[in-house]
């Protein structure tokens, strides 16, 4: 998770920083298969979340839609869309840092916990949360990110209240 935070934070050196990063690793060996950052603003695509991008690219790399035997790490708890995608991809496990509530202080979120998505499905996936939460949440509170949130216009970066 620490390496994923470092990878994600590198986006702060760009004109479009993001606090959302994801990586897919082999569950047994821990070997990195693929990683990506959120690209919603860069691609003008509301579905271009880090978790979805990582699943798409990892599946293409493997040449198959199943990611059985792999674990998804995310700097933030996956939204309902991303968690559903993780289930469809047949990932073994999802591990996240910051929570949906943490992200909601700064940008709009669908506030359904990832574990709830799993409970309501007939697919299996272990969800482990709040791993290095404070470290992951620092991505959201970095001054460069707070300025980006203001530009996004979805939440006030200073106090998390609706505009």
């Amino acid at each position: 998770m620490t390496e994923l935070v470092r990878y994600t934070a590198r986006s702060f050196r760009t004109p479009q920083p993001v606090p959302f990063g994801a990586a897919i690793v082999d569950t047994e060996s821990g070997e990195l298969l693929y990683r990506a950052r959120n690209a919603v603003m860069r691609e003008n695509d509301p579905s271009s979340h880090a978790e979805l991008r990582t699943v798409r690219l990892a599946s293409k790399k493997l040449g198959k839609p199943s990611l059985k035997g792999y674990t998804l790490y995310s700097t933030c708890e996956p939204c309902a869309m991303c968690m559903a995608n993780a289930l469809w991809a047949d990932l073994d496990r999802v591990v996240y840092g910051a929570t949906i509530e943490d992200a909601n202080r700064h940008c709009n979120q669908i506030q359904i916990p990832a574990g709830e998505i799993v409970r309501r499905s007939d697919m299996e996936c272990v969800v482990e949360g709040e791993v290095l939460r404070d470290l992951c949440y620092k991505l959201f509170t970095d001054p460069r990110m707070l300025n980006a949130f203001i530009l996004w216009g979805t939440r006030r970066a200073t106090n998390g209240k609706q505009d």
Side-chain angles (χ1 to χ4, degrees):
M1 187 67 83
T2 302
E3 177 52 35
L4 180 59
V5 168
R6 272 190 280 232
Y7 166 77
T8 305
R10 285 197 288 259
S11 76
F12 294 172
R13 298 183 219 149
T14 73
Q16 295 178 321
V18 294
F20 302 101
I24 293 178
V25 303
D26 183 288
T27 299
E28 293 290 320
S29 71
E31 183 180 334
L32 178 68
L33 176 62
Y34 218 95
R35 64 185 177 189
R37 294 181 202 95
N38 179 298
V40 169
M41 300 305 241
R42 191 178 79 233
E43 296 177 357
N44 294 310
D45 178 354
S47 72
S48 202
H49 290 199
E51 298 91 342
L52 264 110
R53 293 183 74 237
T54 305
V55 166
R56 284 180 191 140
L57 295 166
S59 294
K60 283 182 183 181
K61 184 175 182 177
L62 291 177
K64 60 183 185 173
S66 175
L67 294 173
K68 186 82 177 152
Y70 289 90
T71 295
L72 172 74
Y73 286 84
S74 180
T75 58
C76 187
E77 184 175 5
C79 72
M81 174 179 68
C82 292
M83 192 61 226
N85 183 253
L87 289 170
W88 286 113
D90 204 20
L91 285 158
D92 296 344
R93 189 171 68 140
V94 170
V95 179
Y96 66 86
T99 66
I100 287 174
E101 292 82 16
D102 293 333
N104 193 58
R105 290 185 188 107
H106 305 283
C107 55
N108 295 330
Q109 295 294 310
I110 297 173
Q111 296 182 54
I112 303 172
E116 180 68 17
I117 302 298
V118 174
R119 281 189 293 281
R120 291 173 155 235
S121 82
D122 59 356
M123 296 172 256
E124 293 183 20
C125 183
V126 174
V127 176
E128 296 177 26
E130 302 183 33
V131 173
L132 298 178
R133 179 182 179 186
D134 291 341
L135 179 64
C136 291
Y137 186 62
K138 284 182 182 179
L139 292 167
F140 290 85
T141 59
D142 182 281
R144 294 164 289 192
M145 197 61 241
L146 292 174
N147 287 333
F149 286 130
I150 292 168
L151 293 174
W152 292 5
T154 59
R155 293 258 189 247
R156 289 187 197 164
T158 55
N159 61 13
K161 293 183 181 176
Q162 292 260 191
D163 284 334

